[in-house]
Amino acid sequence: MIMKKVMIFAMLLASATSIWQGCTADQEDWTNQSWNGQQGSNSTGTASGSSGDISDVATFDIALNENSLSESEQVDTDDEDYVENSTFDTTVAIVFANGSATATNVPEGVTVTSDGADVVVSSTIGGVAYELSGTTTDGSLKIYSDKKLKLVLRGVSITNPTGAAINIQSKKRVFVVLADGSNNNLTDGTTYSDATDGEDMKACLFSEGQLIFSGAGRLNVYGYCKAGIRSDDYVVIRPNTNLYVKATAGNGIKGNDALSIYGGVVNVEVSGTAAKALSTDGHALISGGRTTLLVTGGATYDSDEQDVVGSAGLKADSTFTLTGGELYVKNTGKGGKGISTDMQTYVKGGTLGIITTGSTYSYSGKLDSKAKGLKADGDLAISGGTVKVRTTGGNGSEGIESKGTITISDGSVQVQAYDDAINSKSHLYIKGGSVYANSTGNDGLDSNGNTYIQGGTTVAYGTRQPECGIDANEEGGYSVCITGGNLFAIGGGNSTPSGSNSTQGYVTTSGSISAGTTATLASGSQTMATFTLPASYSNGSILVTAQGMTAGSSYTLSIGSSQVTLTASQYGTTGMGGGGMQGGPGGGRW
C-alpha cells in the first residue's frame, strides 16, 4: 500500500553528507535508494523539439498535449489502492438537471438530501458507489462516509459559484473512476462563502482521504479560489486517465502525504502567485504517462514564513523520483522553479524537460528567489532517462543544482543555462551517460567540492574568465579528479586535475570552435573519443580527456579541419599546456 511504501522509503533517507579534501574518496551511491512504485508503460515525447541531437536543448519548447495514451497496466492484487480489489455492490445514481438533483437506488445506511442542486450524502456502510451525471451551473456534492467509496464520473458537469464542486468529508479512500469515453467538468467559485464551520474546503475537488484516479475518461477541473484537486492524504493517478487542471489562485494538484503518477495524461496550468502545479508535503513519484505543467505565477514575500516563496512546476517537501513516463515543465514566473525538492531527487528513467524563463525575484534587497530548472536541497542522482533543462533568467538561473552531491551515472543530460549549467554545493560525480552542460554566463560544470570524471561522455561550456567549462573549488582545497570517461571542456579557463588519485591523462590547448563541428581525439590511427560541439566559442581554454589516456603519450586533437598534437599530463599541471589549434577556420592561439 502507498502508506507502507512511504514508511519504507522514509527509513532510507537518513544520511549525512561527508566533505572530502582532494580526490581521495568516493560518495555513497544514492541511486539504489528510491521509491518502489508501480509503473505504467512509457509513452512518446510531446515537447516540441525535445528529441534528436543535443543542440535542440537551446530551442525546444513545451506545450499542453491532451491526446490520450494507450497504456497497459498490471493490477497488484495485494494493493488496496486498486479499485479492482474492492467490492461495491450498490450504485447510487445522482443526476443533475434543471437546477436540481435526483438520487436513485439509495440503500439503507445511506441518506441523500438536496437543496436545489446542492447534494449531501451521508453513509455508514461500505460497498457503495456513487455515479454522477448531468449538468448544474449552481450545485455541489458533499459526501460524509465511514467507509471507502467509489465515485464514478459519467459525463457530469458541476459548477459551484460559492464553494467546492465536490467536497468529500471522509478520511477513507475515494476511488474516482472516469467512465470510459466520458467528459467531466468541475468548476468552483472565486470565493468559498458556503463553507461549513469546522470543515475543510481546500479545492474545487477536495477530499480528507486518499484520492485515487482511474478510468479511461476525461476530467477537467477549474479552480478559481484555492487548489484544483487536493487530498489531505495522498493522490494517485493511474494509467489511461486524462486530467486537465487549471488553477488561478492556488496549486494545481496537491497530495499532502504523497503524490504518485503511474500513468495517464496530466495537464496542469497554474497562474497564482507562488503556486505549484504539482505539490506534496511528502514524496512525489512519476513512473509512467505524460505530465505537462505550465506555470506563470511569480514569487512573493510570505509574512508568516518571513521568507520569499516562489512558484514551481513540481514541489516536494520530501523527495522526488522519476522512473518512467514523461514530465515536462515550463515556468515563466519571476523567481520560479521547474522542480524543487527539500530532500533527494532521483531520475532513473523516462523523459524530463524543463524550461524556466523568469528572472530573480528580490524582496527588500535581502531575500530573493532565483529561477532554476531542477533544484534539490539534498543529493541529486541521475541514473537513466533523458533530461533536458534550459534556464534563461540571468544571474542565479542555474540549470541543475543540488545543495548536496550530484551523481550522473547513466542517461542523457542536456542543460543550457545563463548561470551554472550543473552546480553541486558539495561534490559532482560523472560516472556514465552523456552530459552536455552549456552556461552562457557562468560555469558549465561547477562544484564546491571535488569534480570527479569517472565515465561517460561530457561536453561542458563555460563563459569568459574567470568562468570555466569545468570548475572545482580549488580555493577550498578541492580539485578535478579524472579516472575514466571522455570530456571536452571549453571556457575562460578550466580547473585541471591536481589530486594524486587522478589516474587518467588529459591534454589542454586553446582555440575556437564552431557550432555543429566535431572534435576527435586520436592516438596515432586509433580514435580515442569523438565529441559533438553544438555551440560556438571564440578563443577559449580547452581541456580534453578520453578513456585510456596516459601521461607522457602524444595525442592528436582535431576540431573540424583544425588539428594539433599534444602531450598528455596526468595531474598537478595547472598551466594551459600544448599549443593553440593550428590550421583551418577557427584556429589560433587564445
Side-chain angles (χ1 to χ4, degrees):
M1 294 182 291
I2 293 289
M3 291 309 298
K4 181 178 179 181
K5 294 172 187 172
V6 171
M7 293 175 63
I8 293 173
F9 187 82
M11 295 172 63
L12 298 175
L13 294 179
S15 67
T17 301
S18 299
I19 301 298
W20 298 284
Q21 298 288 334
C23 295
T24 59
D26 203 347
Q27 76 160 146
E28 181 180 0
D29 188 357
W30 282 90
T31 59
N32 291 323
Q33 299 185 13
S34 68
W35 181 277
N36 186 24
Q38 283 77 21
Q39 297 185 22
S41 62
N42 293 347
S43 52
T44 57
T46 59
S48 173
S50 64
S51 60
D53 70 287
I54 62 179
S55 62
D56 72 357
V57 71
T59 59
F60 82 104
D61 201 3
I62 293 171
L64 298 182
N65 186 338
E66 299 177 352
N67 294 328
S68 296
L69 300 172
S70 178
E71 300 175 287
S72 61
E73 181 184 25
Q74 182 176 352
V75 174
D76 184 349
T77 58
D78 294 325
D79 194 333
E80 294 183 39
D81 281 327
Y82 287 91
V83 65
E84 293 87 345
N85 297 331
S86 297
T87 300
F88 298 94
D89 295 322
T90 303
T91 298
V92 177
I94 300 175
V95 180
F96 295 90
N98 301 319
S100 62
T102 58
T104 57
N105 198 37
V106 180
E108 186 177 349
V110 176
T111 61
V112 180
T113 60
S114 61
D115 180 5
D118 292 316
V119 179
V120 177
V121 175
S122 297
S123 174
T124 59
I125 63 172
V128 181
Y130 303 91
E131 183 176 285
L132 309 184
S133 62
T135 300
T136 176
T137 58
D138 187 6
S140 63
L141 173 67
K142 182 185 287 188
I143 298 178
Y144 301 92
S145 179
D146 294 339
K147 307 291 183 180
K148 62 185 176 182
L149 61 99
K150 180 179 178 181
L151 185 64
V152 181
L153 306 185
R154 191 177 297 277
V156 67
S157 180
I158 301 175
T159 297
N160 183 4
T162 58
I166 296 179
N167 183 358
I168 302 172
Q169 291 293 308
S170 170
K171 297 184 181 297
K172 304 298 182 180
R173 280 183 180 83
V174 179
F175 297 102
V176 181
V177 180
L178 311 181
D180 292 358
S182 67
N183 190 60
N184 306 278
N185 298 279
L186 303 176
T187 307
D188 67 3
T190 56
T191 60
Y192 284 3
S193 57
D194 64 355
T196 301
D197 289 343
E199 292 182 357
D200 288 331
M201 188 189 292
K202 300 178 180 178
C204 180
L205 170 52
F206 173 71
S207 176
E208 291 283 356
Q210 305 97 320
L211 282 173
I212 302 163
F213 293 88
S214 63
R218 177 185 172 92
L219 173 60
N220 304 301
V221 178
Y222 303 91
Y224 295 116
C225 182
K226 298 184 180 181
I229 296 173
R230 176 162 177 170
S231 165
D232 268 354
D233 206 297
Y234 58 77
V235 173
V236 173
I237 299 171
R238 289 176 51 187
N240 297 304
T241 58
N242 196 317
L243 298 180
Y244 169 75
V245 178
K246 181 177 182 178
T248 61
N251 298 327
I253 302 174
K254 177 164 185 178
N256 272 20
D257 293 349
L259 173 62
S260 302
I261 299 177
Y262 296 152
V265 174
V266 180
N267 288 285
V268 183
E269 293 184 272
V270 295
S271 55
T273 301
K276 284 74 176 173
L278 301 179
S279 176
T280 177
D281 295 344
H283 176 81
L285 164 73
I286 296 179
S287 62
R290 183 180 67 239
T291 301
T292 306
L293 313 174
L294 301 183
V295 182
T296 58
T300 188
Y301 176 74
D302 188 323
S303 58
D304 293 333
E305 298 290 334
Q306 295 188 342
D307 199 0
V308 168
V309 292
S311 63
L314 186 152
K315 175 65 170 71
D317 289 356
S318 178
T319 60
F320 168 63
T321 302
L322 176 68
T323 64
E326 303 165 55
L327 172 60
Y328 303 112
V329 183
K330 186 174 183 179
N331 190 336
T332 60
K334 196 170 186 178
K337 310 291 192 296
I339 296 175
S340 177
T341 61
D342 288 353
M343 298 179 70
Q344 289 79 19
T345 292
Y346 308 95
V347 178
K348 293 186 153 192
T351 300
L352 174 61
I354 300 174
I355 298 172
T356 66
T357 63
S359 59
T360 296
Y361 171 87
S362 297
Y363 176 80
S364 189
K366 298 179 181 180
L367 300 172
D368 61 44
S369 175
K370 294 180 171 60
K372 300 178 186 291
L374 175 58
K375 173 186 173 293
D377 285 352
D379 292 341
L380 188 152
I382 300 173
S383 58
T386 298
V387 178
K388 288 181 186 288
V389 180
R390 184 171 76 248
T391 61
T392 60
N395 290 333
S397 59
E398 295 177 321
I400 297 177
E401 181 201 48
S402 168
K403 299 297 186 183
T405 295
I406 293 178
T407 302
I408 300 172
S409 57
D410 202 354
S412 173
V413 180
Q414 302 159 29
V415 184
Q416 179 163 309
Y418 179 87
D419 211 310
D420 294 333
I422 300 177
N423 175 268
S424 172
K425 297 303 181 185
S426 180
H427 304 298
L428 170 60
Y429 291 80
I430 298 179
K431 299 182 177 183
S434 172
V435 178
Y436 170 51
N438 184 349
S439 170
T440 60
N442 212 318
D443 298 322
L445 301 176
D446 182 34
S447 69
N448 288 323
N450 295 318
T451 298
Y452 297 89
I453 306 297
Q454 300 173 337
T457 297
T458 300
V459 174
Y461 286 71
T463 191
R464 296 299 175 189
Q465 281 188 324
E467 315 307 345
C468 302
I470 180 170
D471 185 23
N473 183 11
E474 294 173 339
E475 294 83 359
Y478 300 97
S479 65
V480 172
C481 182
I482 302 175
T483 59
N486 306 323
L487 168 70
F488 184 102
I490 186 168
N494 285 298
S495 294
T496 52
S498 58
S500 60
N501 279 14
S502 188
T503 59
Q504 181 168 288
Y506 67 93
V507 294
T508 58
T509 185
S510 59
S512 299
I513 58 178
S514 299
T517 58
T518 298
T520 302
L521 187 73
S523 174
S525 60
Q526 179 187 1
T527 298
M528 303 287 290
T530 300
F531 305 90
T532 299
L533 307 177
S536 299
Y537 199 105
S538 177
N539 297 327
S541 170
I542 298 172
L543 184 150
V544 182
T545 186
Q547 188 77 37
M549 286 182 68
T550 58
S553 298
S554 294
Y555 299 91
T556 301
L557 177 63
S558 302
I559 300 177
S561 58
S562 301
Q563 190 175 90
V564 64
T565 298
L566 303 166
T567 300
S569 301
Q570 182 171 308
Y571 67 87
T573 302
T574 58
M576 296 283 290
M581 300 299 296
Q582 302 296 320
R589 186 175 183 85
W590 178 71

